[in-house]
Amino acid sequence: MAKLKSNQKREQIFHAGLKLFAENGYSKTTINDIAREAGVSFGTVFTYYENKAALFRACVTEPLDEFRQYMLTANEELESITLQKLKNLVGQHIDFFMEKEHYLRVIQYVIGQPYRFDEMEVLDEFADEFRSFIQHIVKTGMDKGILPASSPEEVSYGYLAFLMGMRLSFTDQARAHQTNAFKNQALRLFGL
Amino acid sequence: MAKLKSNQKREQIFHAGLKLFAENGYSKTTINDIAREAGVSFGTVFTYYENKAALFRACVTEPLDEFRQYMLTANEELESITLQKLKNLVGQHIDFFMEKEHYLRVIQYVIGQPYRFDEMEVLDEFADEFRSFIQHIVKTGMDKGILPASSPEEVSYGYLAFLMGMRLSFTDQARAHQTNAFKNQALRLFGL
Amino acid sequence: MAKLKSNQKREQIFHAGLKLFAENGYSKTTINDIAREAGVSFGTVFTYYENKAALFRACVTEPLDEFRQYMLTANEELESITLQKLKNLVGQHIDFFMEKEHYLRVIQYVIGQPYRFDEMEVLDEFADEFRSFIQHIVKTGMDKGILPASSPEEVSYGYLAFLMGMRLSFTDQARAHQTNAFKNQALRLFGL
Amino acid sequence: MAKLKSNQKREQIFHAGLKLFAENGYSKTTINDIAREAGVSFGTVFTYYENKAALFRACVTEPLDEFRQYMLTANEELESITLQKLKNLVGQHIDFFMEKEHYLRVIQYVIGQPYRFDEMEVLDEFADEFRSFIQHIVKTGMDKGILPASSPEEVSYGYLAFLMGMRLSFTDQARAHQTNAFKNQALRLFGL
DNA sequence: AATGAATGAGGCTTCATTCAT
DNA sequence: CATGAATGAAGCCTCATTCAT
C-alpha cells in the first residue's frame, strides 16, 4: 500500500516533468513549476528524483521501453504481412507519433542539443534500433512483392526523419486533417 | 547610415548567438558565452542588442529574409519547369537545409516551445509561405505532366515535415551519404 | 525509570552525534548522518532528542560530569601528595585529554564560537572549576615543598591552555611519541 | 586606480569573511552575512571570490605568509641571541597570537575538522615550519648557554600547543592579566 | 517505539542588466 | 563606443522538523 502511494506521486511528478520540459525546455522549467503541476510540494520532487537532471533523464529514457515493446510485437507479425497490414502499420506509426507529442518534443530537444545532454547516446541507439526495424519491414515487403524496389536503408532514414518532422514541425492547427495527409505522404516514402 | 561602420561587430555577435542558441538553447546560453564566442567584450553585446531576448529574436527572424529571397527567385523560374529542373530544385532544398543547421535548430527550438516564444508567429507565417510555394510547384508540375496526380496541400505538409525532420533528427555521422538518401526519399514525396 | 529500557539507543545516538559533531562541526552534521552512524533510523533520533540542538547540548554538557567526578576523587588524595604522585597526576591528565579527542573537539568548537552557542556558559563554569582544582594542587605542592614558588593562578591558566592546545593543535601522527613530549613539557609549567 | 578600488573591496570581503568564519564557523556564516559585514552587495562577493569555499581557503592560507615573513626576520637575528632577547621573542609570540584571534580561530576550526577541509595540508606544513623555527631557537639557546638542556623537539611541540591553546581556550575576560600569565608560563616551557 | 515520506525555509550560485569610467 | 564591476532576482538543492502509519 505504502509503495503504491509512492509510485503514484512519482508518476505525477514524471508526467508533470515530461509536459513542462516539452513545453518550455529544460532550463526554463523550474522544480517549482513541476511540483505545482504535479500537485506535490517542492521538496517532494527530490524525494523521488535525486535532482532535476535525474528527472529529465528519466523523462528521456524511460518511455523508450514502450516503443521497444511495440517494435517487438510488430516484428512478430511481419511474417504474414500484406499490403493492407503494412498500410495499417504506417497508420499506427503516424497515430503513435501524433499522440506522444510531449515525449517527442523532449526527444527533439535533446537531439537538437547533442553536446549538452548525455542522454543523446541512448537516443542514438534507439534511432538505430528503429531504423533496423524499418529496414526489416522494407526487406520483407520487397520479398513478398508488396513493395517496389527500394534501398531499405534510405527508406529507414527518410521515414524516421519524416515521422519526427511531422510531429514536431507543426503546432496543432487542423490536426485531424494533417494526420491524413501525413499518412498518405508516408506511404510514398515506401514507394506506394 | 552611421551604423554601417559597426556592422561587423553586430554580425559577429549575431553569429555567435545563432551558434550558441542552436547548440545549447536559449537559457543555457549566457551573454558571456556569446561575447567570448564573438570575440567582443561582455558589455559590447548590449551596445548592439538591447537585451538577450532581442538578440534571440534577431536570430530567429532575420535569416527568414534570405529564404524568402530564394523562394521569389525560384518562383520566377517555375514557368519553364522540367523534370530535371524540379529534381535540381529538390536537391537544392536538401542542400540548403543541410547547410543551415544552426539556424534550423534555432527554428526548431522555437517551434518546439510555441507557448514560450513570441517569435512563433513569424515562423508560422513563413511556414505558410513555404507551403504555398511548394503547392505552386506541385500544381505547375501536374499541369505540365511532370508530376503524377497529388494533393498539393498534402505534399506541401509532408515535404516541409520531411525537410525539417531530415536536418534535425540526426546528428552528423555519415552526412554525405545521408544527403543522397534524403534526396531520393524527398522525390518520392512528390510521387517520383 | 521506564526510560532505562531504551537507554542503549539513546547512547548510540549520543556517541554518533559526539563523533560527527567533533569531526564535521554542527551545521555540516546532519540528522541523517547521525542516524546512519548510530545504526538507527532517521526518525528515531527525534524519539530520544527533541531536536538537533538538544542532542548537541547533551554532547557538550553531559560528559562534564565525568570530569567533575574525577576532580573530586583527585582532590581527596591531595592531602598525601608527593612529587611522584603529582607527576602521575599530570600524566593522567595528559592521557585523559588525549583519549577524549571527540569530546574535546566539540568543546573547542563551542569555545571557538562563544557568540553562537549558549553552551559556552556551562563550559566557562567548568573551566573555572578546573582552574581552581589546579590552583589547589599548586598551593598544596608549594606548601609541601614539592613545587617551586609559582603563581597558582598563572599556572592554572597556562596548564589548561596547554592541555587544550596539546590535544587540539595536532592531528594524530606520531601520537605515542608526542604524548611523552607533552608530559615532560607539562611538568615544566609547574616549575619542574 | 581601478585596480586599487578593486583590491579595497576584495580586502573588505576578506576581513569580513575572516571575522565571521572565526565567530560562527564555515556553514553558519552566510554569503549574505559576509556581504553585509563588508558593506558590499551580495553579488559582489562573487566578483572577487569564485565561491564560498574559495573565500574560506583564502582566509586560511593567505595570512600564513605574514607569519612566514616574521619567522624569516627573527631567524636572522638569532645569531646574536641573549637571554633578554629570547624573552622578548617569546613575548612577541604571545602578543602576536593574542592579536590574531580571528585568524587563529579559523585555523583551529580547520585543525579541528581535518577530514572536512583540504586546507589542513597547508596548515600541517606550516606547523612543521614553525616547529623547526622553535627547534632552531632552542638549539641556539642551548649552544650559547642561555637555555638549560632540553629536547628541542619536545619544546617545539609543547610551545606550539601552548600558543594555540592559550589564545583559543579562553574567551576575552581579563585579557591583559592573562597575557602576562601566559608569558611567564611560556618561558617555563623553555626551561626558564 | 520506530519509521521515513512530505514539507518548505534558507543558502549558494548564476547571470541578465545597469552604469560609471 | 567599449568595458567590466556591481547588483539582486531567481533557481536548485539540502535538511530539520512534522506526522501518519
Side-chain angles (χ1 to χ4, degrees), chain C residues 7-190:
Chain C
N7 270 351
Q8 194 193 343
K9 285 205 178 180
R10 170 181 284 268
E11 280 178 31
Q12 284 166 16
I13 294 166
F14 177 87
H15 283 109
L18 190 59
K19 180 186 175 204
L20 295 177
F21 287 139
E23 287 179 358
N24 300 312
Y26 182 78
S27 299
K28 185 78 185 304
T29 300
T30 71
I31 300 287
N32 227 324
D33 292 340
I34 292 170
R36 203 175 308 121
E37 175 80 24
V40 301
S41 85
F42 177 75
T44 301
V45 175
F46 290 94
T47 304
Y48 291 95
Y49 292 93
E50 194 187 349
N51 52 33
K52 191 181 173 182
L55 171 56
F56 186 74
R57 196 175 313 120
C59 288
V60 173
T61 56
E62 288 183 9
L64 288 179
D65 292 335
E66 189 188 347
F67 278 70
R68 279 205 179 84
Q69 194 58 43
Y70 166 78
M71 287 194 293
L72 279 177
T73 314
N75 252 333
E76 288 168 9
E77 298 178 13
L78 274 188
E79 299 313 313
S80 59
I81 192 84
T82 64
L83 181 59
Q84 190 50 47
K85 277 190 179 177
L86 191 139
K87 286 186 178 179
N88 287 344
L89 200 65
V90 169
Q92 280 171 33
H93 289 169
I94 304 282
D95 292 338
F96 194 80
F97 271 67
M98 276 307 204
E99 271 170 29
K100 304 287 181 187
E101 177 172 14
H102 283 158
Y103 180 58
L104 286 172
R105 294 229 178 268
V106 172
I107 294 297
Q108 182 62 35
Y109 185 82
V110 173
I111 295 174
Q113 304 176 52
Y115 301 127
R116 180 177 175 192
F117 295 106
D118 296 339
E119 288 80 5
M120 193 56 221
E121 273 185 48
V122 192
L123 295 181
D124 263 341
E125 284 170 25
F126 183 79
D128 286 345
E129 292 175 41
F130 184 80
R131 290 192 308 102
S132 294
F133 170 61
I134 298 302
Q135 289 177 36
H136 185 44
I137 291 175
V138 174
K139 280 175 198 154
T140 309
M142 290 194 296
D143 286 351
K144 306 241 175 188
I146 297 170
L147 291 177
S150 281
S151 155
E153 198 186 4
E154 291 192 358
V155 175
S156 75
Y157 271 111
Y159 186 57
L160 179 51
F162 180 82
L163 287 173
M164 293 296 283
M166 165 198 85
R167 171 64 278 188
L168 300 170
S169 301
F170 300 98
T171 44
D172 278 337
Q173 2 118 330
R175 183 161 164 171
H177 177 253
Q178 283 175 46
T179 302
N180 253 335
F182 290 134
K183 286 182 181 172
N184 290 332
Q185 287 299 104
L187 291 174
R188 283 189 156 179
L189 291 171
F190 287 88

Side-chain angles (χ1 to χ4, degrees), chain A residues 164-184:
Chain A
M164 294 295 284
M166 163 197 88
R167 171 64 278 191
L168 300 171
S169 301
F170 300 98
T171 44
D172 278 338
Q173 2 117 329
R175 182 162 162 173
H177 176 252
Q178 282 175 44
T179 301
N180 252 334
F182 289 135
K183 285 182 182 175
N184 291 331

Side-chain angles (χ1 to χ4, degrees), chain D residues 31 42 46 52:
Chain D
I31 298 284
F42 179 79
F46 293 94
K52 190 181 175 182

Side-chain angles (χ1 to χ4, degrees), chain D residues 3-16:
Chain D
K3 267 294 175 192
L4 272 184
K5 196 173 158 194
S6 289
N7 282 338
Q8 192 193 330
K9 288 214 172 169
R10 171 181 284 269
E11 280 175 32
Q12 285 166 17
I13 294 166
F14 177 88
H15 284 108

Side-chain angles (χ1 to χ4, degrees), chain D residues 178-189:
Chain D
Q178 283 173 45
T179 301
N180 252 336
F182 289 135
K183 285 182 183 174
N184 291 332
Q185 287 299 105
L187 290 174
R188 284 190 156 178
L189 290 173

